[in-house]
Amino acid sequence: MFNLIQLPYSVEALEPVISARTLEFHHGKHLKGYVDNLNKLITGTPFEEMPLEEIVRKSDGAVFNNAGQILNHNMYFEQFAPSHPVGEPVEPPVHEPVEGPLMLQIKKQWGSLEAFQSEFVAKGVGLFGSGWVWLSAKEDGSLVITQEPGASNPVVKVLKPLLTFDVWEHAYYLDYQNRRADHLSALWKIVNWEIVEGRY
Ligand code: MN
């Protein structure tokens, strides 16, 4: 049995980048739906005993779609931090990039954090239909940006997933309508680089 993760912040905490209304639907309806579906689908099957990543690597069809979406969303929601102190008026971002091995590798490969961010957003904007844009690490520590369609996750390509933006319309339509690029660009304000560094 898989459980719906608890958000590590309040539903208002990511405003104005992500509204409370979007977060309530995205976490409480969409992600909950995937969790409920997967639990029904795997009851009485060998998948019942497997960790989520293993299910994603070994399944296909509806099991893959629901398990992939749980893995994707868990990593997505857990990589964000409040855009402003709780109870304070909405203010500019407080989360600066952390200088660590990941940031060094990003600068080595892209020249600057801004150049990396620009390519990452472009790949998200350029992904046709629903899916996810990911930063992942190869076994040798080098980094790669991939576009994953639907429910897929870089673990199926033997990559270590580090950071992701959800480009399904349910992630941004209430707040940004068709302006996917504006939404993706705004997400940098709430990325918790400590978490992302920790995954590297
Ligand atoms: Mn989503």
Side-chain angles (χ1 to χ4, degrees):
M1 282 283 287
F2 291 95
N3 294 314
L4 179 65
I5 57 157
Q6 298 245 324
L7 294 175
Y9 36 73
S10 71
V11 290
E12 303 85 18
L14 306 183
E15 291 187 340
V17 177
I18 299 175
S19 69
R21 189 167 152 75
T22 289
L23 205 47
E24 279 165 358
F25 275 93
H26 201 181
H27 173 262
K29 303 287 185 197
H30 290 281
L31 179 52
K32 183 173 188 302
Y34 299 127
V35 172
D36 292 345
N37 286 341
L38 184 68
N39 285 331
K40 278 187 213 135
L41 288 164
I42 63 175
T43 301
T45 76
F47 293 122
E48 220 173 5
E49 308 302 322
M50 290 180 199
L52 200 50
E53 274 200 30
E54 191 179 355
I55 299 177
V56 172
R57 286 198 310 271
K58 293 183 174 171
S59 65
D60 56 17
V63 171
F64 174 81
N65 286 336
N66 286 282
Q69 284 294 71
I70 299 170
L71 181 60
N72 294 338
H73 284 96
N74 288 357
M75 295 191 72
Y76 173 79
F77 288 125
E78 287 170 350
Q79 75 191 0
F80 294 133
S83 51
H84 56 94
V86 174
E88 299 282 318
V90 174
E91 278 299 318
V94 293
H95 293 277
E96 294 301 321
V98 178
E99 289 300 330
L102 174 62
M103 201 57 65
L104 286 173
Q105 186 66 28
I106 286 174
K107 288 174 180 169
K108 187 174 153 192
Q109 288 186 230
W110 279 275
S112 68
L113 175 62
E114 291 71 26
F116 157 72
Q117 289 173 321
S118 168
E119 184 182 332
F120 194 83
V121 168
K123 289 250 169 81
V125 171
L127 199 164
F128 185 76
S130 297
W132 302 77
V133 57
W134 282 92
L135 174 69
S136 299
K138 297 181 186 174
E139 272 190 37
D140 65 4
S142 65
L143 302 171
V144 61
I145 301 173
T146 65
Q147 297 167 312
E148 305 295 335
S152 197
N153 183 289
V155 295
V156 304
K157 299 171 177 169
V158 202
L159 293 169
K160 181 192 268 192
L162 305 173
L163 168 74
T164 190
F165 287 177
D166 187 345
V167 302
W168 284 60
E169 285 186 345
H170 67 221
Y172 60 88
Y173 216 81
L174 291 174
D175 301 335
Y176 296 81
Q177 295 77 51
N178 60 320
R179 293 176 288 113
R180 185 191 283 188
D182 292 350
H183 168 68
L184 298 184
S185 300
L187 287 176
W188 297 118
K189 295 178 183 170
I190 55 170
V191 168
N192 185 335
W193 285 101
E194 285 184 31
I195 298 278
V196 181
E197 273 284 347
R199 291 172 177 169
Y200 182 51

PDB file of all heavy atoms in Angstrom, residues 10 84-90:
ATOM      1  N   SER A  10       2.664  24.476   3.835  1.00  0.00           N
ATOM      2  CA  SER A  10       1.218  24.680   3.770  1.00  0.00           C
ATOM      3  C   SER A  10       0.798  24.943   2.317  1.00  0.00           C
ATOM      4  O   SER A  10       1.639  25.282   1.482  1.00  0.00           O
ATOM      5  CB  SER A  10       0.822  25.874   4.645  1.00  0.00           C
ATOM      6  OG  SER A  10       1.276  27.069   4.043  1.00  0.00           O
ATOM      7  N   HIS A  84       8.092  32.524   0.554  1.00  0.00           N
ATOM      8  CA  HIS A  84       8.231  33.638   1.496  1.00  0.00           C
ATOM      9  C   HIS A  84       7.947  33.084   2.888  1.00  0.00           C
ATOM     10  O   HIS A  84       7.269  32.072   3.020  1.00  0.00           O
ATOM     11  CB  HIS A  84       7.246  34.761   1.176  1.00  0.00           C
ATOM     12  CG  HIS A  84       5.824  34.282   1.144  1.00  0.00           C
ATOM     13  ND1 HIS A  84       4.999  34.343   2.229  1.00  0.00           N
ATOM     14  CD2 HIS A  84       5.112  33.681   0.165  1.00  0.00           C
ATOM     15  CE1 HIS A  84       3.813  33.835   1.919  1.00  0.00           C
ATOM     16  NE2 HIS A  84       3.864  33.415   0.672  1.00  0.00           N
ATOM     17  N   PRO A  85       8.450  33.736   3.940  1.00  0.00           N
ATOM     18  CA  PRO A  85       8.196  33.239   5.286  1.00  0.00           C
ATOM     19  C   PRO A  85       6.694  33.187   5.568  1.00  0.00           C
ATOM     20  O   PRO A  85       5.957  34.090   5.166  1.00  0.00           O
ATOM     21  CB  PRO A  85       8.892  34.267   6.180  1.00  0.00           C
ATOM     22  CG  PRO A  85       9.885  34.938   5.281  1.00  0.00           C
ATOM     23  CD  PRO A  85       9.282  34.925   3.911  1.00  0.00           C
ATOM     24  N   VAL A  86       6.247  32.145   6.253  1.00  0.00           N
ATOM     25  CA  VAL A  86       4.823  31.995   6.555  1.00  0.00           C
ATOM     26  C   VAL A  86       4.338  33.208   7.340  1.00  0.00           C
ATOM     27  O   VAL A  86       4.989  33.668   8.267  1.00  0.00           O
ATOM     28  CB  VAL A  86       4.593  30.702   7.358  1.00  0.00           C
ATOM     29  CG1 VAL A  86       3.140  30.602   7.801  1.00  0.00           C
ATOM     30  CG2 VAL A  86       4.965  29.492   6.499  1.00  0.00           C
ATOM     31  N   GLY A  87       3.209  33.753   6.923  1.00  0.00           N
ATOM     32  CA  GLY A  87       2.635  34.894   7.630  1.00  0.00           C
ATOM     33  C   GLY A  87       3.147  36.231   7.147  1.00  0.00           C
ATOM     34  O   GLY A  87       2.612  37.269   7.491  1.00  0.00           O
ATOM     35  N   GLU A  88       4.200  36.222   6.321  1.00  0.00           N
ATOM     36  CA  GLU A  88       4.745  37.471   5.796  1.00  0.00           C
ATOM     37  C   GLU A  88       4.066  37.803   4.473  1.00  0.00           C
ATOM     38  O   GLU A  88       3.593  36.910   3.775  1.00  0.00           O
ATOM     39  CB  GLU A  88       6.247  37.323   5.537  1.00  0.00           C
ATOM     40  CG  GLU A  88       7.057  37.007   6.781  1.00  0.00           C
ATOM     41  CD  GLU A  88       7.294  38.231   7.635  1.00  0.00           C
ATOM     42  OE1 GLU A  88       7.591  39.280   7.057  1.00  0.00           O
ATOM     43  OE2 GLU A  88       7.167  38.126   8.862  1.00  0.00           O
ATOM     44  N   PRO A  89       4.057  39.085   4.109  1.00  0.00           N
ATOM     45  CA  PRO A  89       3.549  39.418   2.771  1.00  0.00           C
ATOM     46  C   PRO A  89       4.418  38.735   1.713  1.00  0.00           C
ATOM     47  O   PRO A  89       5.567  38.435   1.959  1.00  0.00           O
ATOM     48  CB  PRO A  89       3.717  40.931   2.691  1.00  0.00           C
ATOM     49  CG  PRO A  89       4.047  41.391   4.054  1.00  0.00           C
ATOM     50  CD  PRO A  89       4.558  40.232   4.830  1.00  0.00           C
ATOM     51  N   VAL A  90       3.818  38.525   0.551  1.00  0.00           N
ATOM     52  CA  VAL A  90       4.562  37.872  -0.522  1.00  0.00           C
ATOM     53  C   VAL A  90       5.745  38.741  -0.929  1.00  0.00           C
ATOM     54  O   VAL A  90       5.601  39.910  -1.233  1.00  0.00           O
ATOM     55  CB  VAL A  90       3.648  37.613  -1.726  1.00  0.00           C
ATOM     56  CG1 VAL A  90       4.450  37.074  -2.898  1.00  0.00           C
ATOM     57  CG2 VAL A  90       2.548  36.637  -1.332  1.00  0.00           C
TER      58      VAL A  90
END
